[in-house]
Amino acid sequence: MMESLEPLLAEHPFLKGLDPRHTQIITGCASNVRFDTGQIIFREGEEANQFYIIRQGKVALQIYTPGRGSIIIDTLTEGEVLGWSWLIPPYQWRFDAVASELTRAIALDGKCLRNKCEADHDLGYELLKRFSSIVDQRLESTRIRLLDIYDSNP
Amino acid sequence: MKTKEPLPTPTVTIERKNLDVLFSALIKNGYNVIGPTVREGAIVYDLITASNNMPVGYTQEQNAGKYKLVKHGDQSVFGFNTAPLSWKKFLHPPTLELCHSHRDRNSVTITTPKIEPQKHAFVGVRPCDLAAISVLDKVFIASPYTDVGYQARRSDVFIVAVNCGQAAGTCFCVSMQTGPGATKGFDIALTEIIEKDRHYFVAEPGTDQGETILKSVPHKEANIYELKAAESQLENTAEQMGRKVDTTNIAELLTNNSDHARWQEVAKRCLTCGNCTMVCPTCFCSTIEDVTDLSGDNASRIRKWDSCFTLGFSYIHGGSIRSSVMSRYRQWLTHKFSSWHHQFGTSGCVGCGRCITWCPVAIDVTEELKAIRSNEQTNPSTKSTKEKQ
Amino acid sequence: MIATLEQKKNITAASADRKPVLFRISRVQKDTHDTFTIDLEPPKGGFYFEPGQFNMLYLHGVGEVPISICGDPSAHDKLIHTIRAVGTVTKAMQKLKKGDLLGVRGPFGTNWPAEESAGSDILIIAGGIGLPPLRPSIYHVLANREKYGKVVLLYGTRTPKDILYRKELEQWRARFDMEVHVTVDRAAGDWHGNVGVVTTLISRSHFDPSSTVAMLVGPEVMMRFTVLELQKRGIEPDNIYISMERNMKCGTGFCGHCQYGPTFICKDGPVYPYPAIKDVFVKREI
């Protein structure tokens, strides 16, 4: 199983161009996962010990507010990465993640990776750079939406 | 019929006492004569019938934010420069009904007012204003659209231009290459000459109609002495001109300096009153108002002069694009001296100086342009692009 | 770029005396809580326009507004406008019904390079009320589908309730020769589509950046970020077209209101190749 994951990971946009040595380390923490439509991937408040590299499908990040129900904050699809709470203490999910359609992904064990990053700062730095770029994109997207640019009475 | 070889058009002289014959010749040819006259302490262009309606013996003291009509001491007919309101008001009226809409139950009928031909003779058009009329022609005729009303009003205008025998305090036509002498666009161009014992006009016909009219006025062919006198007078006027604009690459100067600190400086003084746009002989912007009667069955669309200095000018749903005074002043000056070249192949400024005279806080375009040029920005666009974080 | 000479002559004749031509409304349809579509019957002779052009619509006694044309450019017997009720005139137009008369002047302005882009991939990006001005291009491209490479439509709105032309979007999405992605800024948990800003869809779609023509309409902020993202993906600025909006009163370059940098949006725009306005695009209060 592990042998087949390495090339998948190496080709994913998130890990593309990574030192093969590092890809190998990461593969050691990886496993294939599948979520059916409506299946909950994680819930707000739960311990965040993984992140997911989405290969196919769509995931909705949601937050539940009393009275309004679940509000979708963001959706993630093929080629994108779900979750960074495993990187930042207290390692707890801030949102719910629900598969909006059949989703296939590679789950990476955050606890395992955290240790490996501590041991190998080159790997840690490389991963952090890639995550900051994702954080940057999501922040930009959020900021634009904050402007409510389509409102007819701005 | 074979067309006649054009004869060299002779420049003639007309004695002062015969100036009124020119008026009657124009009137006889069906023209309403419009020329300068004194009203409420200022010179205005209006219907006149004879030279005694004109500001004989008057001149104007003009400076930034300053205008005063004073007696001259001589009997000159054209001893002043431009009137505060230009000829624009006749060609591009301040208010104009564009169309009328009538509603009758379920039906609507839209009609446009008939364009009445107006035969106007403009007497006393200064070279800068002559240039301004040609600028308006470029805006309203085949640009690519044609304002048929403008075209109709413009087509029958007979122009008696007057070369400037003096510069007003705010003039800068030499810089804008529009004066002080008229070179084209007129039917007749006059130069007024006052000597110790003689008061006459050197009159140059610019068109066949001009020549025909001149023929009906007692005249003599101008001699070399008279032509020289007219010429040296123009040279004197050009020398008198106190204000200057360096027009080298002026279009690029302004677009490259849209973030110049000077815009903020001038914005502190500018009251956004829009006076400059009203007196400007080329400012053409307008808005449209919808007016209805009490029943609501009759509605008119009225075009009115508008000014880019108003907040509403750039309003789109949600707010005004140019909400700061800085951006509105920048829009006006940049349009006039820069965008205009791109839009109409000419400067929008003709150097008449009216915007300087009539600015209540004495903002002087020539000073503003000088300040921007003297301290050009080196890197105009870096500021606004790096805002991502 | 602009309409044919013959059309242009008609425009000049029709618009110069500022007299709107009356069209009868054959259908009114409510699209969303604030947006509606009216179908108009042109007087005999039909109505001709190029994708991207707009008309000035006049409502008796209330006023005139510029509205882009959103119907099929090859159907000359029907003129369609989708209007968002945001101002006095458009709010009054919301009350119009079948049989009423509406004044029309136009068409005005430049068009999308729909025909000129044959052979390229087509990337159409719309934000909010930006979809209607792009729809004629979509019709044109789909009617001549074999002439184009990949065709992608990316569309962002505020909420699922604000999505225009839902039925058509479904039909387009069902085609095998067109990629359609819709995203909203916010949605409840029962929404199965995308949530996120429209720029995030760019990296999810398939086109060849080296031969793609992008056409975009939306709020200026959205277009600014979209242009950045497209360039990041490798689309040449020359192949990016955007449609601008300003307060237009006349449509013919006489009123001066729609000046954008050195241009008049009514006659030099509304559709511009990005390099033509690049310098003023990021400037404030221009």
Side-chain angles (χ1 to χ4, degrees):
Chain A
M1 188 71 191
M2 286 229 182
E3 288 74 23
S4 67
L5 278 184
E6 193 167 330
L8 276 179
L9 282 169
E11 270 168 37
H12 192 278
F14 178 64
L15 298 174
K16 220 172 184 170
L18 204 67
D19 187 327
R21 191 171 52 89
H22 289 151
T23 313
Q24 212 181 355
I25 297 176
I26 292 171
T27 311
C29 306
S31 59
N32 238 326
V33 288
R34 178 205 141 112
F35 303 100
D36 290 321
T37 309
Q39 193 177 338
I40 287 158
I41 302 171
F42 53 74
R43 271 192 194 282
E44 180 185 352
E46 286 175 358
E47 200 179 335
N49 281 326
Q50 321 69 32
F51 71 97
Y52 301 89
I53 288 175
I54 303 171
R55 294 170 50 206
Q56 186 204 329
K58 186 186 287 165
V59 176
L61 273 183
Q62 305 184 343
I63 190 154
Y64 180 82
T65 53
R68 285 171 73 190
S70 283
I71 307 290
I72 304 177
I73 299 301
D74 225 329
T75 50
L76 303 167
T77 62
E78 178 190 328
E80 297 174 322
V81 169
L82 167 67
W84 58 66
S85 298
W86 64 277
L87 254 176
I88 307 146
Y91 314 119
Q92 214 175 63
W93 294 119
R94 275 52 170 265
F95 299 100
D96 298 343
V98 184
S100 355
E101 53 190 68
L102 171 68
T103 300
R104 292 174 207 278
I106 296 169
L108 289 137
D109 183 337
K111 237 181 208 166
C112 151
L113 259 187
R114 279 199 301 261
N115 293 334
K116 287 182 175 169
C117 288
E118 282 303 335
D120 181 345
H121 282 189
D122 283 352
L123 170 65
Y125 179 59
E126 198 51 53
L127 274 182
L128 263 181
K129 269 204 289 189
R130 287 161 195 251
F131 269 101
S132 358
S133 157
I134 292 172
V135 173
D136 172 58
Q137 284 163 24
R138 304 257 173 93
L139 184 58
E140 178 180 300
S141 159
T142 309
R143 282 171 172 176
I144 299 173
R145 281 187 280 152
L146 203 56
L147 293 171
D148 205 3
I149 48 176
Y150 305 125
D151 189 3
S152 50
N153 306 297
Chain B
M1 205 174 86
K2 258 182 124 183
T3 46
K4 243 183 356 180
E5 271 292 301
L7 291 167
T9 51
T11 297
V12 300
T13 57
I14 300 171
E15 298 306 314
R16 165 67 181 91
K17 65 176 186 323
N18 291 323
L19 186 62
D20 282 310
V21 187
L22 176 64
F23 279 87
S24 42
L26 288 168
I27 293 165
K28 210 179 288 167
N29 276 276
Y31 288 105
N32 295 313
V33 178
I34 296 173
T37 188
V38 174
R39 190 160 301 157
E40 291 170 27
I43 289 171
V44 295
Y45 299 131
D46 208 342
L47 271 177
I48 56 172
T49 51
S51 66
N52 63 6
N53 297 153
M54 296 173 78
V56 174
Y58 277 101
T59 193
Q60 305 165 126
E61 284 176 10
Q62 296 195 51
N63 215 324
K66 211 177 147 196
Y67 176 95
K68 195 176 171 196
L69 201 57
V70 290
K71 280 280 186 186
H72 203 275
D74 63 25
Q75 287 302 300
S76 60
V77 182
F78 296 106
F80 52 90
N81 290 80
T82 56
L85 276 178
S86 72
W87 306 91
K88 175 172 83 174
K89 63 179 178 177
F90 300 105
L91 298 171
H92 178 50
T95 65
L96 181 75
E97 185 182 38
L98 295 176
C99 63
H100 181 87
S101 179
H102 176 71
R103 184 179 61 191
D104 185 12
R105 291 194 187 161
N106 217 5
S107 140
V108 176
T109 326
I110 301 176
T111 49
T112 43
K114 208 171 154 243
I115 297 165
E116 300 289 346
Q118 304 170 306
K119 248 183 126 182
H120 281 327
F122 294 169
V123 172
V125 180
R126 298 292 174 177
C128 57
D129 280 349
L130 209 50
I133 292 171
S134 104
V135 168
L136 289 180
D137 290 349
K138 289 194 174 101
V139 172
F140 290 118
I141 299 173
S143 64
Y145 301 99
T146 295
D147 180 333
V148 287
Y150 177 90
Q151 197 176 31
R153 285 183 293 275
R154 175 73 178 93
S155 62
D156 276 332
V157 172
F158 186 97
I159 294 179
V160 180
V162 177
N163 292 326
C164 290
Q166 67 286 313
T170 49
C171 292
F172 56 103
C173 66
V174 171
S175 298
M176 303 317 294
Q177 294 176 300
T178 60
T183 54
K184 56 173 193 265
F186 54 82
D187 294 286
I188 298 172
L190 301 175
T191 307
E192 182 175 31
I193 305 211
I194 300 180
E195 286 166 355
K196 222 180 192 170
D197 43 12
R198 188 176 168 212
H199 185 175
Y200 66 100
F201 299 91
V202 173
E204 180 194 346
T207 59
D208 289 350
Q209 293 103 295
E211 205 180 332
T212 312
I213 294 283
L214 274 183
K215 273 186 188 146
S216 56
V217 181
H219 63 273
K220 267 192 210 149
E221 200 166 318
N223 62 34
I224 191 92
Y225 164 78
E226 291 157 341
L227 291 173
K228 271 263 154 66
E231 204 177 299
S232 72
Q233 193 181 68
L234 281 180
E235 280 164 18
N236 284 341
T237 306
E239 267 168 40
Q240 273 177 26
M241 218 149 291
R243 284 177 162 80
K244 263 194 204 122
V245 171
D246 177 358
T247 58
T248 322
N249 294 330
I250 194 159
E252 294 75 26
L253 175 80
L254 293 179
T255 45
N256 293 343
N257 286 277
S258 57
D259 295 328
H260 199 284
R262 183 72 183 196
W263 300 117
Q264 300 291 355
E265 286 304 307
V266 69
K268 286 181 198 157
R269 299 167 61 203
C270 176
L271 309 173
T272 65
C273 69
N275 263 14
C276 48
T277 56
M278 297 293 113
V279 295
C280 177
T282 66
C283 270
F284 59 84
C285 290
S286 60
T287 187
I288 297 170
E289 282 179 15
D290 290 273
V291 184
T292 54
D293 65 5
L294 281 178
S295 70
D297 290 338
N298 291 294
S300 278
R301 310 216 71 222
I302 313 285
R303 186 180 75 184
K304 294 185 169 177
W305 283 359
D306 201 357
S307 171
C308 54
F309 280 94
T310 67
L311 195 56
F313 188 84
S314 62
Y315 182 85
I316 54 172
H317 57 88
S320 287
I321 301 282
R322 298 184 203 105
S323 55
S324 70
V325 175
M326 182 289 284
S327 67
R328 283 177 263 156
Y329 187 85
R330 180 180 68 184
Q331 166 62 24
W332 179 68
L333 200 72
T334 306
H335 184 213
K336 202 102 302 199
F337 287 89
S338 174
S339 317
W340 217 293
H341 287 279
H342 182 274
Q343 295 167 349
F344 305 109
T346 176
S347 170
C349 176
V350 294
C352 71
R354 287 184 177 95
C355 57
I356 306 172
T357 302
W358 293 97
C359 178
V361 293
I363 294 170
D364 179 342
V365 286
T366 67
E367 285 300 319
E368 296 312 309
L369 292 166
K370 205 181 294 168
I372 288 169
R373 194 181 285 281
S374 70
N375 178 23
E376 269 198 72
Q377 270 173 228
T378 45
N379 207 350
S381 62
T382 45
K383 226 176 102 191
S384 39
T385 48
K386 286 192 179 165
E387 270 164 15
K388 211 174 145 193
Q389 300 306 310
Chain C
M1 242 336 252
I2 318 177
T4 64
L5 192 67
E6 200 46 46
Q7 285 168 260
K8 199 96 199 227
K9 275 189 204 148
N10 293 338
I11 302 165
T12 313
S15 53
D17 65 359
R18 303 303 198 69
K19 186 176 156 182
V21 176
L22 291 161
F23 283 44
R24 199 166 287 280
I25 295 173
S26 56
R27 197 171 84 124
V28 180
Q29 195 195 325
K30 191 176 154 131
D31 298 305
T32 70
H33 68 286
D34 64 356
T35 306
F36 56 100
T37 296
I38 48 175
D39 294 5
L40 295 151
E41 263 169 42
K44 57 182 179 298
F47 188 85
Y48 290 78
F49 74 100
E50 297 283 336
Q53 291 193 297
F54 67 93
N55 279 325
M56 298 297 298
L57 300 185
Y58 170 66
L59 183 58
H60 168 88
V62 187
E64 197 179 47
V65 282
I67 305 283
S68 45
I69 306 165
C70 64
D72 184 344
S74 67
H76 306 298
D77 57 343
K78 202 195 268 180
L79 169 65
I80 307 177
H81 285 287
T82 295
I83 304 168
R84 181 142 92 141
V86 283
T88 321
V89 181
T90 47
K91 277 179 183 155
M93 284 179 176
Q94 224 173 356
K95 295 183 192 116
L96 286 168
K97 51 193 191 308
K98 187 180 167 176
D100 287 345
L101 287 167
L102 197 60
V104 177
R105 288 193 302 123
F108 296 114
T110 54
N111 54 277
W112 298 109
E115 258 170 66
E116 299 87 327
S117 306
S120 304
D121 289 357
I122 302 292
L123 175 59
I124 290 173
I125 308 180
I129 192 72
L131 185 58
L134 285 162
R135 196 169 66 163
S137 262
I138 301 174
Y139 287 142
H140 179 89
V141 168
L142 293 182
N144 301 274
R145 185 64 191 85
E146 70 288 352
K147 291 188 186 158
Y148 300 91
K150 294 200 170 77
V151 177
V152 180
L153 168 64
L154 310 180
Y155 175 39
T157 70
R158 196 171 186 231
T159 71
K161 278 198 315 227
D162 298 300
I163 295 172
L164 293 169
Y165 311 146
R166 264 175 185 270
K167 257 194 202 144
E168 259 178 321
L169 285 169
E170 288 308 326
Q171 287 164 6
W172 293 335
R173 205 205 299 267
R175 293 177 67 124
F176 292 108
D177 58 359
M178 184 175 182
E179 194 178 329
V180 177
H181 296 290
V182 177
T183 186
V184 298
D185 275 358
R186 63 197 65 169
D190 55 358
W191 165 246
H192 291 286
N194 297 304
V195 174
V197 74
V198 72
T199 47
T200 58
L201 299 177
I202 296 170
S203 62
R204 296 176 190 176
S205 38
H206 304 88
F207 54 87
D208 172 6
S210 66
S211 81
T212 294
V213 173
M215 311 178 191
L216 37 144
V217 190
E220 276 182 42
V221 176
M222 169 234 155
M223 293 202 287
R224 289 213 301 264
F225 282 96
T226 305
V227 166
L228 285 178
E229 193 62 34
L230 291 176
Q231 290 181 282
K232 230 198 279 178
R233 270 295 294 269
I235 298 186
E236 286 299 320
D238 286 347
N239 290 330
I240 301 173
Y241 290 81
I242 60 184
S243 182
M244 297 299 300
E245 185 192 6
R246 283 290 183 275
N247 171 7
M248 289 181 251
K249 297 279 182 199
C250 73
T252 51
F254 298 150
C255 78
H257 279 251
C258 69
Q259 284 182 80
Y260 184 57
T263 73
F264 289 98
I265 288 180
C266 67
K267 53 180 192 178
D268 305 311
V271 176
Y272 293 91
Y274 176 63
I277 51 162
K278 188 168 72 59
D279 293 339
V280 285
F281 197 52
V282 292
K283 289 257 147 75
R284 294 167 188 191
E285 299 192 273
I286 281 286

